[in-house]
Amino acid sequence: MSLSATLSGLQENTAELRWTAEEARRIYDLPFNDLMFQAHVIHRQNFDPNRLQMSKLLSIKTGGCPEDCFYCNQSAHNPTGLKASKLMEVERVLAEARQAKAAGATRYCMGAAWRSPKERDMDMVVAMVQGVKAMGMETCMTLGMLSLPQAQRLGAAGLDYYNHNIDTSEEFYPQIITTRTFADRLDTLDNVRMAGINVCSGGILGMGESEQDRVNMLVTLANLEEVPQSVPINMLIPIEGSKLANARPVDSIAFIRIIALARIMMPTSHVRLTAGRSNMSDEMQAMCFFAGANSIFIGDVLLTAANAGDDRDADLLKRLGIQAETVAEESCAC
């Protein structure tokens, strides 16, 4: 497909496209203003550009993960000084969820530092999902790899979203993780989809990958059997003691280009501006929102890393004239 044909098709039915790396890269390399224009037009066709979906993320089991993800301070392989904890009690998780709802969150995300959940923990995890659902919030979990029976049990409990990032391109993946394969990631996404749960999957920028790796990551996501309903784009937060502690920062323009490309390639997905916002300027975040990012995590902490914080977010969104989505608005958009 020629670039002109691809661009003309963008405003028609992008979700039906089968993307190639070459097509995606040509769009990524457009003059910045052209790229931003295309992304913003598509964003407006599918979402209210002045609404932002708010989520809250809680670590329900911290540290001690057996995976060796080079970027992660929760990996047992990385001497980051983070102590491992046990799975939180259900009532404590629900108390935190009530506070998140009061702060404006419409989706509550719970993450555990596991390779995969053990059967002995499933009853508590299911109770968390059911308790948060009863509050009228959407539920999301990230627990590592899931078997199909585990995904089906979570789906039956009412889980709305399951997060399992592919992190990067298939080609670069072995450079940052060796304890599970790229195919393992895709298998979990298949299990989640077959269980009728919405897929939340994205990646991390700034781990030493090339621009082409970033584009290829989006090509993989956009070409899944069903496009992820939620696509988190993270900026690496270098953690002392991790193998990527001295990673070079991502260029701001390159990061915004990936947000725009994600919006173009996955027009009906919520594109999440996720980790690293505490290190982004207000102007960079505003450009990401213009390019199509329409979801953030609120609060001062994102799992175990610093987040932008409610006061800073409230000030920025007020200045931009952006308001929080309701659960009903988000359901309509998806």
Side-chain angles (χ1 to χ4, degrees):
M1 182 184 296
S2 69
L3 179 58
S4 60
T6 300
L7 289 175
S8 65
L10 291 178
Q11 297 180 22
E12 296 175 3
N13 195 0
T14 316
E16 297 298 324
L17 291 176
R18 182 73 183 177
W19 291 92
T20 67
E22 292 74 22
E23 289 164 353
R25 182 59 192 257
R26 282 186 288 175
I27 294 172
Y28 174 86
D29 285 335
L30 285 171
F32 187 73
N33 286 341
D34 293 345
L35 177 64
M36 293 292 282
F37 173 76
Q38 293 289 343
H40 189 70
V41 167
I42 289 172
H43 186 48
R44 278 183 174 268
Q45 290 174 341
N46 293 279
F47 294 95
D48 183 338
N50 298 312
R51 294 281 183 176
L52 202 62
Q53 190 272 324
M54 308 288 195
S55 297
K56 185 66 184 287
L57 177 60
L58 175 70
S59 178
I60 60 174
K61 192 279 173 188
T62 302
C65 181
E67 304 286 9
D68 70 348
C69 307
F70 293 5
Y71 53 81
C72 186
N73 68 335
Q74 300 200 64
S75 169
H77 298 263
N78 295 331
T80 62
L82 185 69
K83 293 183 179 180
S85 71
K86 295 182 179 179
L87 182 63
M88 289 175 64
E89 294 295 328
V90 174
E91 285 306 316
R92 184 181 168 195
V93 172
L94 299 185
E96 295 279 352
R98 293 185 193 98
Q99 294 179 19
K101 183 179 181 181
T106 58
R107 186 184 302 175
Y108 197 64
C109 305
M110 296 158 275
W114 288 329
R115 176 177 171 82
S116 58
K118 295 181 172 61
E119 289 307 310
R120 66 171 182 260
D121 296 315
M122 288 298 293
D123 285 346
M124 291 179 65
V125 168
V126 164
M128 293 174 192
V129 172
Q130 293 172 332
V132 174
K133 285 284 286 185
M135 298 177 197
M137 283 197 291
E138 291 184 322
T139 53
C140 178
M141 283 200 154
T142 177
L143 312 171
M145 294 185 291
L146 287 184
S147 66
L148 181 56
Q150 287 175 327
Q152 290 170 331
R153 188 173 177 193
L154 290 172
L159 185 66
D160 295 298
Y161 289 82
Y162 192 83
N163 169 254
H164 198 62
N165 292 336
I166 62 172
D167 287 344
T168 188
S169 70
E170 184 173 8
E171 296 78 13
F172 188 70
Y173 187 88
Q175 304 301 314
I176 58 165
I177 301 169
T178 67
T179 50
R180 60 174 139 173
T181 67
F182 195 77
D184 289 334
R185 301 266 179 174
L186 298 182
D187 287 345
T188 289
L189 297 183
D190 282 341
N191 291 337
V192 169
R193 178 183 53 79
M194 288 188 289
I197 302 169
N198 291 314
V199 169
C200 176
S201 187
I204 307 170
L205 276 57
M207 300 184 292
E209 75 286 346
S210 67
E211 287 185 305
Q212 189 62 50
D213 286 316
R214 299 167 188 168
V215 171
N216 290 351
M217 174 187 73
L218 295 184
V219 170
T220 296
L221 293 171
N223 285 341
L224 292 175
E225 186 166 338
E226 185 175 343
V227 175
Q229 288 82 8
S230 179
V231 182
I233 305 296
N234 298 269
M235 177 182 282
L236 178 72
I237 301 176
I239 304 294
E240 190 68 31
S242 72
K243 296 180 179 66
L244 297 179
N246 297 315
R248 293 178 58 185
V250 180
D251 173 72
S252 298
I253 299 299
F255 187 93
I256 296 167
R257 282 183 175 275
I258 286 294
I259 294 290
L261 185 61
R263 171 51 66 220
I264 290 170
M265 295 175 70
M266 292 169 277
T268 62
S269 303
H270 272 76
V271 176
R272 296 177 164 283
L273 189 59
T274 319
R277 286 199 307 117
S278 58
N279 295 326
M280 297 180 190
S281 68
D282 289 351
E283 292 78 10
M284 180 180 176
Q285 291 189 69
M287 290 296 286
C288 286
F289 298 148
F290 185 83
N294 61 339
S295 178
I296 61 172
F297 283 102
I298 61 174
D300 298 323
V301 178
L302 194 63
L303 286 180
T304 61
N307 197 32
D310 293 343
D311 291 343
R312 180 184 172 192
D313 284 341
D315 176 69
L316 174 60
L317 299 185
K318 181 179 179 180
R319 286 187 286 137
L320 296 177
I322 294 177
Q323 297 180 332
E325 272 186 2
T326 66
V327 173
E329 285 172 328
E330 183 181 357
S331 297
C332 289
C334 288

